[in-house]
Amino acid sequence: MAASKLHQRDYRPEMRGTLDGVRILDLSRLFAGNVLTQMLGDFGADVIKVEPPEGDTLRAWKTEGVSTHWKIYARNKKSLCLDLRNPQATDIVRALVLSSDMFIESFRPGVLEKMGLGPEKLLEINPKLVIIRISGWGQEGPYSQRPGFGTVVEGISGFAAINGFEDREPVLPPMYLADGIAGIYGASAAMIALREVELKGGQGQVIDLPLLDPLFSILGPQSANYRLTGKLKPRTGSRSTNSAPRNAYRCKDGRYVSLSASIQKMAERLFRSIGRPDLIDDPKFRTNADRVRNAEELDAIIGAFIVARTQAENVAFFEAAEVTIGPIYDTSQILEDPHFIEREVVSDYPDADMGTLPMHHVVPRLGGTPGAIRTPAPELGEHNRSLLAEIGIDDARYAQLVASGVVRGDAAEG
């Protein structure tokens, strides 16, 4: 493997973001909650990840024995390892709630209440607390007790039904789309609620954050279109039902480019660039509606031009003609691309297992108060002692909690 060209970044523990002083108690598992708290942690929030004895499930998602998902989405966090089946552990959570601004969980609806940590109890302890409850389907409704994995949500939301090709089965996303979108929505919702508390003198509140609602919200006017036409949106692969040409085209070297000419001037510019100005006045391609109706024939014309050139040649040619085109990259190309490298979309960070770990930088980019990656993902229970000392647990009591299994010993204690 070639040497990395990425910028070498160090962790910046001295950096303090605009959320410095905001404490988040995170009891969630897997992806949505970790995305949410990673975003807020990047901007300075003090994120306490409360993990079970076996650790957050995200730790178990390993590649070649390395927990790469955990390393990325648990950065800027602290780990407190508690067995929440023990009442003494839930007592510790209650004590930490007193100094927290946010509380995040992703248990099945009703489980938190059975633990004695329902929202009413938590708000009695801390009336200013913002509580985010992540689930598959929401805290109420006919499906609330169903398992809420993102895969099921991506199917039922309508996403899979419109994704893929017409003559094939619906296609689920190859990554954690429902969870990721819910995490981003959740970070936004949490900050809206926190603003009510901090700037308006308001009280804490509960945010009901299912995976379903955020994903459904970005699918566009599917319901309105169906009501208007009585027709379902077909699966069109990489084509669009709104504009043409728009597709992924195969190149001479087996790679692909994505091309879109969704406005009239761009389509005309494209036709001239490939030596087919006659298409501008062709009744089959004269308007966008004409082009959509005849997209297959149009793609054949454009595809024949593109397949005669390599990916790099196509990109250079169409960029010179000011036609909107871009390469369809795989990860190996991303790690070599000068734009990704220069803007540090991905950079290398020191890592105990890999030497350097390529990881996305802070998103979004704030010009005045930027975020920072201050610490690597924690070892399981790494911050037990320091966090429990804050609530008055001395060394003797700490040893008792470890011995009784309430707290899992940190790495230093084996």
Side-chain angles (χ1 to χ4, degrees), residues 179-260:
D179 287 80
I181 293 171
I184 296 168
Y185 264 77
S188 177
M191 294 309 300
I192 292 169
L194 187 63
R195 186 180 191 276
E196 171 68 18
V197 171
E198 293 186 338
L199 299 184
K200 294 189 166 186
Q203 297 297 295
Q205 59 183 294
V206 177
I207 298 170
D208 185 358
L209 182 67
L211 303 187
L212 175 62
D213 300 20
L215 179 57
F216 183 79
S217 76
I218 69 164
L219 296 182
Q222 303 303 321
S223 299
N225 292 348
Y226 176 72
R227 180 170 292 176
L228 282 169
T229 67
K231 296 179 181 179
L232 297 171
K233 179 179 173 64
R235 290 192 293 279
T236 57
S238 295
R239 286 185 185 140
S240 168
T241 55
N242 300 314
S243 64
R246 191 264 196 182
N247 213 333
Y249 299 92
R250 184 180 176 88
C251 303
K252 183 179 181 180
D253 53 2
R255 298 189 184 276
Y256 290 82
V257 291
S258 56
L259 182 148
S260 175

Side-chain angles (χ1 to χ4, degrees), residues 5 7 337-346 365:
K5 297 180 180 179
H7 292 177
D337 184 86
H339 185 84
F340 282 81
I341 294 170
E342 180 61 30
R343 282 186 56 84
E344 298 188 344
V345 177
V346 58
R365 299 173 186 243

Side-chain angles (χ1 to χ4, degrees), residues 135-138 143 152-154 156-158 178 182 209-217:
S135 63
W137 313 100
Y143 299 163
V152 181
V153 169
E154 288 149 3
I156 202 172
S157 66
L209 182 67
L211 303 187
L212 175 62
D213 300 20
L215 179 57
F216 183 79
S217 76

